[in-house]
Amino acid sequence: MAINGKTRVCAVIGDPVEHSLSPVMHNAAFQKLGLNIVYVAFNVTRNGLKDAISGARSLGLRGLNVTMPHKKAVMSYLDETDSTAEAIGAVNTILNNQGTLIGYNTDGKGAMIALQENGIYPEEKKMLLLGAGGAAKAIAFQAAQEVEELVILNRTSEKATKLAELLCKKFGKKVKGGALSAEVLKEELKTADILVNATSVGMNPDVNMSPVPLDLLRRDLCVMDIIYNPLETKLVKDAKAVGAKVVLGLEMLLYQGAVAFEIWTNCPAPVDVMKKAALNKLAEQGVTVEGKS
Ligand code: ATR
């Protein structure tokens, strides 16, 4: 698609932002559907955030993705925030709807769609979620509405119990929080159906670390790690080794992007094209699934 006077712009803002996979993913999707939209990355410092949002408004950008460190701060510069993003306290996607800037959070939906697309259905299941940071919170909000039982374990246990209390009140579902200790992990895993790692344990360069010892993993467990660098974390490799079903972090990244794409365009996202573009970019950065690149 040639850039011309009618080309619309979407962008990701963050600091740092140069390694973001969003530009290649979304540009591939816009091209595939023949949409006259381009997607770029803007490095925006904390001090520049207010002006950046004001600029996006003046320039008529169609949409934005928001990444670290602006997901929370950006909320005060928007006209509206959808109820999920409001409850989570973080925005990762903005739609410019004819001058009205609306904030969304697509991380939780992205994670739950990734599970479903891999044949893992949350109804009547117990999910064990590790972590209580920004990403974990987004997943917990969505999961609490879909699973039968949710248990959140975190190194700093108060963060997990506080989040669990909030979700219990909000959704009236069985949600429990606790410490990410060996004993609690062992106990909770016995009855868990789905395990999601939303801590940063196992992320590059600590690729030999896993939040869960191999001997606690079972064949009938579904394991998702939201880390996508490395593409296959130690947790994912261990889970595969015991015959468990696994979902890679790239899938959550892909589907949170797909949800954002649909918010901006009202078109179903061509996820295969987006996935291929993301994998190619990761390969350029030296991130590959061993033996498959
Ligand atoms: P993100 O936005 O990616 O979720 P974050 O908000 O900084 O990042 O959250 C990181 C998560 O990883 C937190 O749950 C953190 O636990 P704490 O709340 O106790 O800090 C967890 N985490 C980071 N390093 C960890 C480690 N070595 N062991 C266990 N959990 C860890």
Side-chain angles (χ1 to χ4, degrees):
M1 178 72 66
I3 294 175
N4 57 30
K6 289 183 180 168
T7 303
R8 300 293 306 270
V9 177
C10 285
V12 54
I13 56 168
D15 186 16
V17 86
E18 64 265 33
H19 293 298
S20 171
L21 298 177
S22 296
V24 293
M25 260 186 355
H26 286 292
N27 282 320
F30 293 140
Q31 251 169 34
K32 174 74 184 175
L33 299 194
L35 298 171
N36 193 359
I37 310 175
V38 293
Y39 189 112
V40 291
F42 292 125
N43 195 301
V44 174
T45 61
R46 283 182 201 269
N47 287 341
L49 181 62
K50 188 175 178 200
D51 286 347
I53 297 301
S54 164
R57 202 189 283 277
S58 306
L59 296 169
L61 265 57
R62 175 65 181 160
L64 290 173
N65 279 134
V66 183
T67 186
M68 302 310 290
H70 304 314
K71 287 184 172 190
K72 194 177 172 67
V74 78
M75 294 174 76
S76 52
Y77 305 123
L78 305 179
D79 301 305
E80 293 171 22
T81 307
D82 101 314
S83 57
T84 305
E86 186 73 50
I88 296 166
V91 158
N92 79 334
T93 300
I94 300 170
L95 169 70
N96 181 357
N97 188 14
Q98 295 177 338
T100 302
L101 299 188
I102 310 168
Y104 299 86
N105 192 311
T106 68
D107 282 335
K109 275 210 180 91
M112 296 310 284
I113 297 172
L115 287 173
Q116 281 169 35
E117 290 292 322
N118 284 278
I120 301 162
Y121 303 99
E123 301 84 18
E124 295 170 23
K125 299 275 167 53
K126 169 177 166 180
M127 180 188 282
L128 183 55
L129 176 65
L130 310 183
K137 199 170 179 186
I139 296 169
F141 260 85
Q142 196 62 37
Q145 299 170 65
E146 299 186 28
V147 297
E148 176 72 23
E149 187 186 348
L150 176 64
V151 176
I152 306 163
L153 301 182
N154 194 46
R155 177 175 63 178
T156 313
S157 63
E158 306 81 64
K159 273 164 77 178
T161 44
K162 216 172 130 196
L163 178 56
E165 274 167 28
L166 181 78
L167 294 171
C168 257
K169 261 194 218 135
K170 197 166 172 67
F171 301 114
K173 282 269 184 88
K174 226 164 124 186
V175 187
K176 204 166 77 179
L180 180 48
S181 67
E183 307 84 72
V184 183
L185 195 54
K186 187 174 178 186
E187 203 48 41
E188 293 296 345
L189 264 174
K190 280 182 192 161
T191 49
D193 303 293
I194 304 169
L195 169 70
V196 177
N197 176 40
T199 74
S200 46
V201 180
M203 192 184 286
N204 194 17
D206 298 319
V207 296
N208 293 320
M209 307 263 282
S210 169
V212 182
L214 173 66
D215 61 0
L216 294 187
L217 298 171
R218 308 184 316 266
R219 188 182 156 75
D220 60 343
L221 198 62
C222 298
V223 178
M224 178 162 88
D225 199 327
I226 73 161
I227 294 169
Y228 61 86
N229 184 359
L231 268 176
E232 288 196 348
T233 57
K234 172 153 172 41
L235 172 64
V236 164
K237 285 181 186 162
D238 287 350
K240 269 185 163 178
V242 301
K245 200 170 211 176
V246 300
V247 182
L248 304 186
L250 181 71
E251 300 266 317
M252 169 170 159
L253 178 84
L254 178 66
Y255 287 104
Q256 66 74 31
V259 176
F261 183 92
E262 289 168 18
I263 288 171
W264 298 325
T265 64
N266 288 317
C267 298
V271 284
D272 291 349
V273 170
M274 294 169 82
K275 186 173 185 175
K276 200 168 157 204
L279 280 169
N280 285 342
K281 185 69 193 173
L282 280 170
E284 264 176 41
Q285 295 170 2
V287 184
T288 55
V289 175
E290 285 158 17
K292 284 195 189 166
S293 61

